[in-house]
Amino acid sequence: MADLRPCPACDASDAAKLAKYSRKEWHVARCASCNLTYLRNPVAYEALEEEFAWEKTYETKSQAGGSTALSPSLKKIRTKTGLTHRGHGSRMGAWFNNGHVLDIGCGAKTNVPEPMTPYGIELSRKLHKIADRKMRARGGYCVHGAGAEAIWDFEPEMFDGIVMQSYLEHEVDLMRVLNGAWRVMKPAAPMYVRVPNFGSINRYVIGRKWCGFRYPDHVTYFTVPTLRDVARRAGFTVEVVNRATVAIDDNIKALLRKAEAPA
């Protein structure tokens, strides 16, 4: 097993292994200092580019049948509340002032609808080439690399908004990418974040077969309190977009806004 890393949020080394959610080769733990749940032995960025690239691990999990189905009672609640995997593309124009938007971990597409100008960062070589071609056709471009490193290639206060949709749970260098995001955002710019909700009722019901577990490319598991704590450390406030339904949603959807500069 690789060396066990400290907490990616507070850098504390004391953490309790969560045996129920770990695997033989993957060590999931909860930080004793800030309560963040994270993978203590993630693979290197190079492995995420190829061997464990998102498109490969997603396909493998899909072929294996994905997660266990919802319990009947929870399924009824979700149906009644109209809870689905709806995106927020229709709201982004208002959030981001129809301006220049950075989509981190964009994959082969852009989550940024027209008329906004899309920019991106993508680690997978294959998906980066596709995304770059699409973004250049709309006046932007996509950078190849890890988010926590590539975000520093952009100019300060360059963006009217940032999208981290199904990305932040993949990023090993959590605080570096959030500090970089703070730097490249305009003063009033928001950042839309969607991450798996480790605090969801479904995770408690399904247990280790919960859909949010992906080994080894999911390296951080957020609850609303730990997302707020991480954001605060980087100089952001948090507004939970799906606040009314977050307890029964497998994702947390939130807007992070710049507050004080990170330490």
Side-chain angles (χ1 to χ4, degrees), residues 69-79 205:
L70 293 170
S71 65
S73 57
L74 187 54
K75 187 173 183 179
K76 287 181 181 179
I77 294 173
R78 287 190 172 188
T79 301
V205 173

Side-chain angles (χ1 to χ4, degrees), residues 7 31 46 51-52 63 71 94 104 107 109 119 122-123 128 165-166 171 182 198-199 209 212 232 245 247 258:
C7 175
C31 176
E46 291 77 14
E51 182 182 0
F52 294 107
Q63 291 177 354
S71 65
I104 307 179
K109 56 184 176 63
Y119 296 79
E122 174 53 44
L123 182 61
H128 160 260
Q165 184 162 297
S166 301
E171 178 54 65
W182 197 99
F198 190 74
K209 293 185 178 180
R232 177 189 58 79
T245 58
K258 292 177 69 170

Side-chain angles (χ1 to χ4, degrees), residues 29-258:
R30 178 179 290 116
C31 176
S33 179
C34 71
N35 290 321
L36 184 70
T37 299
Y38 64 101
L39 185 66
R40 297 201 75 188
N41 58 329
V43 299
Y45 282 134
E46 291 77 14
L48 293 174
E49 287 185 71
E50 298 295 342
E51 182 182 0
F52 294 107
W54 179 88
E55 65 272 22
K56 294 180 180 179
T57 58
Y58 181 83
E59 180 64 22
T60 298
K61 185 166 184 176
S62 296
Q63 291 177 354
S67 62
T68 301
L70 293 170
S71 65
S73 57
L74 187 54
K75 187 173 183 179
K76 287 181 181 179
I77 294 173
R78 287 190 172 188
T79 301
K80 188 173 181 179
T81 59
L83 181 62
T84 65
H85 292 290
R86 292 174 302 202
H88 291 278
S90 62
R91 304 176 66 181
M92 287 183 184
W95 288 343
F96 305 143
N97 198 30
N98 283 329
H100 293 243
V101 180
L102 176 62
D103 186 356
I104 307 179
C106 56
K109 56 184 176 63
T110 172
N111 295 299
V112 180
E114 295 186 71
M116 289 173 278
T117 303
Y119 296 79
I121 300 174
E122 174 53 44
L123 182 61
S124 166
R125 294 181 184 279
K126 178 181 177 180
L127 301 184
H128 160 260
K129 291 179 181 179
I130 300 171
D132 186 53
R133 182 174 66 250
K134 292 179 179 179
M135 291 183 181
R136 287 184 183 277
R138 290 175 50 190
Y141 58 86
C142 184
V143 174
H144 172 255
E149 298 173 359
I151 196 167
W152 298 88
D153 293 339
F154 295 101
E155 295 296 321
E157 298 188 4
M158 179 174 174
F159 296 108
D160 298 281
I162 291 179
V163 175
M164 292 188 181
Q165 184 162 297
S166 301
Y167 158 75
L168 201 56
E169 65 271 22
H170 296 265
E171 178 54 65
V172 173
D173 204 342
L174 179 64
M175 299 311 300
R176 181 167 171 78
V177 75
L178 289 175
N179 291 339
W182 197 99
R183 170 183 168 273
V184 300
M185 292 167 66
K186 294 179 180 178
M191 175 165 58
Y192 175 66
V193 171
R194 187 184 77 181
V195 292
N197 180 12
F198 190 74
S200 71
I201 292 174
N202 194 36
R203 195 266 301 174
Y204 288 100
V205 173
I206 300 301
R208 65 186 292 158
K209 293 185 178 180
W210 176 56
C211 59
F213 291 119
R214 289 256 306 274
Y215 307 91
D217 54 327
H218 281 191
V219 298
T220 310
Y221 295 94
F222 296 95
T223 63
V224 171
T226 57
L227 179 61
R228 289 190 187 280
D229 179 67
V230 166
R232 177 189 58 79
R233 293 173 187 272
F236 292 98
T237 61
V238 175
E239 173 192 346
V240 178
V241 175
N242 60 334
R243 180 178 178 183
T245 58
V246 69
I248 58 172
D249 197 330
D250 285 317
N251 293 284
I252 302 168
K253 301 156 190 173
L255 286 179
L256 277 59
R257 300 183 186 276
K258 292 177 69 170

